[in-house]
Amino acid sequence: MKDSLMPPIYKLVAARHGRFFVNSNDTYVGNSMQHYGEWSEPEIALFEQVVRPGDTVLEAGANMGSHTVWLSKHVGQEGAVYAFEPARHTFQLLCANLVANDCLNVTALQQALGAQEQDLDFPLLDPRQPWNFGGASMKKQWTTAYERVKATTVDDLATGRLDFVKADVEGFELELLAGAARSIAQHRPVVYLEINTAEVRDGAVRLLEQQGYSCWYYVTPMYSPDNWLGNPNDIFNDYSFDMLCVPADRFEVSGLSRATVGDDVVSYLPNQIKWATQAWQHARIVRLS
């Protein structure tokens, strides 16, 4: 009887890009979907400039699918999305949201992406407790509860084409890139990475510049004043730090700040990140070929 009095864990909300089941205890993505009807919409504004109908997209760290659904609709039935989410309860939400929005062109996998195929211990967060569920990481010890998940590589996926890679894997980005070397060389996809540490930034820039890529900062607020629900309150006062990496012979980028190894455009201090980048609204991506 006591359990029946507990508030529901999951809610169905209407949002800018569809209908979404959210975990009411999720302090970031779920919270944003409930308060604003969207999550990190400035990122989608960038994706609109590089992702085309018919593209094949790989999303690592798909979370509950707030961006996966948009990617699915944008590439259309001639395109394909491979969505990886290793956290079990978050993966269940992802699958529910793909069903709720008729995303038939998405292959969802409860797996991690790394440098090699192996089994890993991944945090098992209690969905009944407040967490930033998208922050679950193999790099940080958040909990004493873990479960084994399979890790594979982008190269092992062996897609016939690969046009766009989006990776928000909480510090595991360099491992993902190491396992994607053949795919990047063959398909030359646009790569979009979260860069929360100098190590990830510098390692990604080194690796991708060797492949003829240029890398650009994309720093965006988690709150948008023109959010879908028209909510005027910024409940986050926080930013996302990401990097757009493009084959320099195929794309021209303007309006963004170039990322280089060890630069001070973005400075990673012990307890904060400082930045002096161009505003995300200025980003212009032109496809040359």
Side-chain angles (χ1 to χ4, degrees), residues 43-82:
E43 295 189 39
I44 289 180
L46 183 70
F47 302 161
E48 285 183 317
Q49 298 189 55
V50 296
V51 179
R52 300 177 298 182
D55 277 356
T56 294
V57 171
L58 187 150
E59 186 182 21
N63 202 289
M64 52 160 278
S66 56
H67 287 169
T68 319
V69 169
W70 180 88
L71 289 165
S72 170
K73 293 179 179 180
H74 194 70
V75 303
Q77 290 308 306
E78 299 303 314
V81 178
Y82 293 87

Side-chain angles (χ1 to χ4, degrees), residues 9-24 29-34 36-39 41 44 59 62-73 90 92-103 228:
I9 299 172
Y10 300 110
K11 299 178 181 178
L12 180 63
V13 300
R16 185 186 294 271
H17 300 297
R19 299 174 299 162
F20 290 85
F21 290 95
V22 303
N23 185 332
S24 58
V29 180
N31 208 11
S32 183
M33 295 296 283
Q34 292 179 83
Y36 305 126
E38 61 188 44
W39 165 250
E41 196 66 19
I44 289 180
E59 186 182 21
N63 202 289
M64 52 160 278
S66 56
H67 287 169
T68 319
V69 169
W70 180 88
L71 289 165
S72 170
K73 293 179 179 180
T90 306
Q92 291 169 353
L93 268 182
L94 168 65
C95 293
N97 290 328
L98 296 177
V99 170
N101 291 282
D102 298 326
C103 296
W228 192 71

Side-chain angles (χ1 to χ4, degrees), residues 258-280:
R258 184 77 179 260
T260 58
V261 173
D263 70 55
D264 59 1
V265 177
V266 174
S267 300
Y268 296 89
L269 306 178
N271 295 310
Q272 67 178 134
I273 303 176
K274 291 188 175 182
W275 68 99
T277 58
Q278 294 194 62
W280 67 269

